[in-house]
Amino acid sequence: VQFRRMNILQVIPSFYPALAWGGPIQSTYSLCNALAQRNDVTLRVLTTDASGPKLNDRLKVKPTTDFSEGYRVYYCRRQLGSSFSVTMLRRLPPMIRWADIVHLTAVYSAPTIPTLFLCRLFNKPVVWAPRGALQRDHRLGVVGQLLLVRHGQASWGAADYVRELEDLRSSYRLF
């Protein structure tokens, strides 16, 4: 039996070596390194060059960087806020078309809604890792959180899913 390689696209507002953003960067980097070791996976990462909250906090990396672990990272120049990049928005459609599955990290970032919309448009499955952003008393409140939780074809990253779903259930008496 011959298997076809699975094309996985990781969409994340910032990526290694942008360690100023904390744990999600390191854990996503580790996840990507592990996925790249599989001989049935082709991995690409789409991100910005943001290395901190200020607009001039930028990584000094090539726009397209091949990591020695075996995958390619596309760093797009950030123009606004913590994660808005015109180049990233332009690259999203063809990269999502290429992917068999999209792994989206973050909730309150510029690429989140366009990624979810394009995945739905192109009928691509999404694994969505909110990384704690949907817990109680966060930016959107219960109505916004429910809209995001109920978004059609999204699946959750397992580690965040249990904690966040339990928090939503207990905080808002859901399900």
Side-chain angles (χ1 to χ4, degrees):
V1 176
Q2 187 175 15
F3 293 98
R4 186 175 77 77
R5 291 177 68 87
M6 179 179 285
N7 295 333
I8 300 175
L9 174 63
Q10 168 67 58
V11 179
I12 185 168
S14 53
F15 188 69
Y16 189 86
L19 297 176
W21 294 105
I25 301 301
Q26 186 62 50
S27 63
T28 304
Y29 175 60
S30 296
L31 172 67
C32 289
N33 291 343
L35 281 171
Q37 297 306 307
R38 296 183 54 101
N39 59 8
D40 59 347
V41 168
T42 301
L43 174 67
R44 294 180 183 169
V45 177
L46 182 61
T47 189
T48 70
D49 63 354
S51 69
K54 295 179 185 168
L55 195 55
N56 61 351
D57 293 338
R58 297 186 188 284
L59 296 172
K60 292 174 176 54
V61 292
K62 296 179 197 172
T64 302
T65 302
D66 290 322
F67 276 53
S68 62
E69 292 84 355
Y71 57 98
R72 183 167 284 173
V73 179
Y74 298 85
Y75 291 98
C76 304
R77 186 166 179 82
R78 171 181 57 167
Q79 282 96 17
L80 185 66
S82 63
S83 61
F84 182 80
S85 168
V86 172
T87 304
M88 188 176 198
L89 293 177
R90 210 173 53 240
R91 283 188 169 172
L92 265 173
M95 292 186 84
I96 289 174
R97 278 190 203 105
W98 166 85
D100 295 313
I101 189 166
V102 176
H103 184 259
L104 173 63
T105 299
V107 173
Y108 304 102
S109 68
T112 300
I113 298 300
T115 300
L116 291 172
F117 172 77
L118 290 167
C119 286
R120 188 168 191 108
L121 181 69
F122 300 141
N123 199 29
K124 300 292 182 163
V126 178
V127 175
W128 191 10
R131 305 297 177 139
L134 294 179
Q135 292 184 10
R136 188 169 188 209
D137 299 326
H138 211 276
R139 299 179 201 173
L140 286 185
V142 69
V143 174
Q145 290 175 11
L146 288 174
L147 288 173
L148 291 171
V149 168
R150 302 250 184 229
H151 177 279
Q153 297 177 338
S155 296
W156 298 68
D160 294 320
Y161 173 77
V162 174
R163 187 181 72 231
E164 294 203 35
L165 185 56
E166 285 305 314
D167 187 59
L168 285 170
R169 280 181 180 153
S170 66
S171 298
Y172 304 113
R173 300 186 213 313
L174 302 173
F175 315 92

